């Protein structure tokens, strides 16, 4: 394939690294992170040169019981400020808002009153019109916005083209290619990345990539899409995220050649906070059941249930979901 941007030795100054540990990792422990954990990660990200830190979801308190989740499911302004103050740092603060699961017209302050910089609007492809409504509203409030179209591996080519055409006409700043099911191989990821980048180049929008590690390809797919011009790269500390997890931040920061990025503070954080989290029984990361759902291009919910039940009967699992 042609059109690669840079090489393994070059510095890409257009790249932005986004840490999604609290948001995607929060799906592993109902967002029950201590303030010390979140503050230490915030400080580590700044020391490592990370560009954006996603603090969690801006979920509706009408739809979700606040007593069943940690505060990063809801990301109240006061909660974020208790960690970052006025965020006197070069790193920007992001939150995610799911279409249909947030009260965006009441829960977001005008940007000048908020420490949040970016709102990442997540939707499925049939929800693009609703996502566009949110994006335009949040743009008017003054926020940077992204559109993260989930489960794109199950969308048709014509659906993808229609969605990109609609987003091209919007005020969205970043369009995200999302491998929700961890089903992509580098070739799939590259083909879609080139399609997204072509649209982004035409209308002046950036393209991002968010990977899942069902087939241990999250890092490989991330740097493959990057090589074709994707510039917003998601990763998490120790790969913590729903199910098989995400692209590991330590892999990504160790790979990028820009001297603004460094690894040491993240390694310290992993030693002090991520390893104890695993010892406490919080589970994430590659396992065979996630490989199977990734290979079958399926949502990992059955694999997550399999994991939670402590099962290891992989053959039975494979037979069951292959037949369903």
């Amino acid at each position: 394939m042609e059109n690669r941007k840079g090489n393994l030795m070059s510095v890409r100054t257009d790249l932005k690294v986004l840490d999604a540990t609290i948001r995607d990792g929060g799906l592993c422990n109902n967002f029950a992170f201590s303030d010390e954990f979140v503050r230490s990660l915030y400080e580590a990200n700044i020391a490592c040169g990370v560009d954006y830190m996603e603090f969690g979801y801006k979920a509706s308190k009408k739809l979700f019981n606040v007593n069943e989740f940690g505060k990063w499911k809801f990301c109240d302004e006061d909660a974020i400020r208790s960690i970052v103050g006025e965020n006197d740092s070069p790193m920007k603060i992001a939150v995610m808002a799911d279409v249909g699961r947030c009260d965006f017209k009441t829960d977001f302050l005008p940007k000048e009153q908020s420490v949040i910089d970016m709102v990442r609007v997540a939707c499925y492809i049939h929800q693009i019109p609703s996502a566009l409504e949110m994006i335009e509203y949040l743009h008017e409030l003054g926020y940077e916005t992204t559109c993260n179209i989930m489960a794109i591996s199950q969308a048709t080519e014509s659906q993808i083209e229609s969605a990109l055409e609609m987003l091209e006409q919007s005020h969205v700043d970043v369009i995200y290619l999302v491998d929700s099911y961890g089903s992509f191989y580098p070739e799939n990821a590259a083909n879609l990345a080139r399609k997204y980048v072509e649209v982004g180049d035409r209308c002046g929008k950036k393209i991002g990539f968010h990977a899942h590690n069902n087939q241990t390809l999250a890092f490989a797919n991330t740097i493959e899409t990057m090589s074709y011009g994707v510039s917003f790269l998601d990763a998490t500390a120790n790969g913590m995220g729903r199910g098989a997890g995400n692209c590991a931040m330590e892999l990504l920061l160790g790979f990028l050649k820009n001297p603004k990025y460094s690894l040491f503070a993240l390694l310290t954080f992993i030693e002090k906070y991520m390893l104890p989290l695993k010892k406490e029984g919080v589970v994430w990361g590659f396992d065979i059941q996630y490989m199977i759902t990734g290979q079958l291009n399926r949502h990992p919910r059955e694999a997550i249930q399999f994991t939670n039940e402590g099962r290891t009967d992989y053959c039975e699992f494979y037979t069951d979901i292959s037949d369903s």
Side-chain angles (χ1 to χ4, degrees), residues 208-225:
F209 184 66
H210 180 87
H212 279 265
N213 206 36
N214 297 59
Q215 302 187 83
T216 66
L217 289 169
F219 172 60
N221 288 336
T222 298
I223 63 173
E224 182 73 356
T225 61

Side-chain angles (χ1 to χ4, degrees), residues 28-303:
C28 303
N29 68 346
N30 283 341
F31 303 90
F33 297 104
S34 68
D35 282 4
E36 180 189 351
F37 182 101
V38 177
R39 190 173 294 110
S40 296
L41 179 59
Y42 169 73
E43 292 167 355
N45 280 330
I46 292 170
C48 290
V50 168
D51 300 283
Y52 290 80
M53 178 174 171
E54 187 176 48
F55 270 69
Y57 285 99
K58 198 82 166 169
S60 169
K61 293 179 183 177
K62 298 171 189 171
L63 294 176
F64 297 95
N65 185 339
V66 294
N67 297 317
E68 293 178 3
F69 298 93
K71 56 190 171 183
W72 308 111
K73 177 80 169 176
F74 307 100
C75 285
D76 292 339
E77 189 74 25
D78 289 347
I80 300 176
R81 286 185 182 275
S82 72
I83 303 296
V84 309
E86 291 295 321
N87 186 30
D88 183 20
S89 83
M91 185 174 71
K92 293 184 176 183
I93 305 301
V95 295
M96 180 166 278
D98 275 347
V99 166
R101 296 184 175 188
C102 64
D103 302 312
F104 66 95
K105 289 187 176 176
T106 56
D107 287 355
F108 283 97
L109 299 168
K111 169 64 193 103
E112 62 267 18
Q113 298 173 29
S114 176
V115 75
I116 296 168
D117 299 290
M118 171 185 277
V119 183
R120 304 197 330 148
V121 175
C123 67
Y124 291 102
I125 201 150
H126 66 277
Q127 298 172 317
I128 288 287
S130 297
L132 289 170
E133 181 192 13
M134 287 177 62
I135 286 161
E136 297 306 318
Y137 180 86
L138 293 161
H139 172 79
E140 287 298 314
L141 288 183
Y143 293 100
E144 295 176 43
T145 58
T146 80
C147 186
N148 295 39
I149 312 173
M150 300 181 288
I152 204 72
S153 58
Q154 292 197 330
T156 66
E157 190 168 336
S158 63
Q159 284 178 319
I160 295 170
E161 287 173 359
S162 295
L164 292 175
E165 283 175 17
M166 295 165 79
L167 289 166
E168 186 175 353
Q169 304 303 317
S170 76
H171 284 103
V172 76
D173 297 293
V174 188
I175 305 170
Y176 259 87
L177 172 57
V178 183
D179 184 16
S180 302
Y181 299 165
S183 64
F184 285 169
Y185 299 98
E187 186 174 351
N188 312 127
N191 287 337
L192 279 170
R194 293 200 301 171
K195 185 186 292 284
Y196 277 56
V197 167
E198 183 180 341
V199 171
D201 286 348
R202 193 164 64 225
C203 61
K205 300 185 188 308
K206 302 295 186 184
I207 305 301
F209 184 66
H210 180 87
H212 279 265
N213 206 36
N214 297 59
Q215 302 187 83
T216 66
L217 289 169
F219 172 60
N221 288 336
T222 298
I223 63 173
E224 182 73 356
T225 61
M226 182 191 86
S227 78
Y228 287 104
V230 167
S231 55
F232 273 69
L233 309 175
D234 284 14
T236 61
N238 222 199
M240 185 185 189
R242 184 204 67 196
N246 305 104
C247 175
M249 182 69 77
E250 55 271 27
L251 282 169
L252 185 60
L253 292 183
F255 169 80
L256 295 173
K257 299 302 181 287
N258 191 331
K260 72 167 280 194
Y261 298 119
S262 63
L263 197 52
F264 189 81
L266 176 62
L267 297 178
T268 304
F269 177 82
I270 290 170
E271 274 183 48
K272 189 171 181 183
Y273 293 100
M274 301 305 292
L275 298 184
L277 209 60
K278 283 208 159 185
K279 283 183 181 174
E280 289 167 18
V282 181
V283 177
W284 72 89
F286 172 80
D287 208 334
I288 289 173
Q289 61 270 26
Y290 295 118
M291 176 199 77
I292 292 168
T293 59
Q295 289 176 344
L296 295 175
N297 191 18
R298 291 172 65 115
H299 192 289
R301 62 176 63 90
E302 295 122 320

Side-chain angles (χ1 to χ4, degrees), residues 13 191 208 265 322:
T13 57
N191 287 337
S322 296

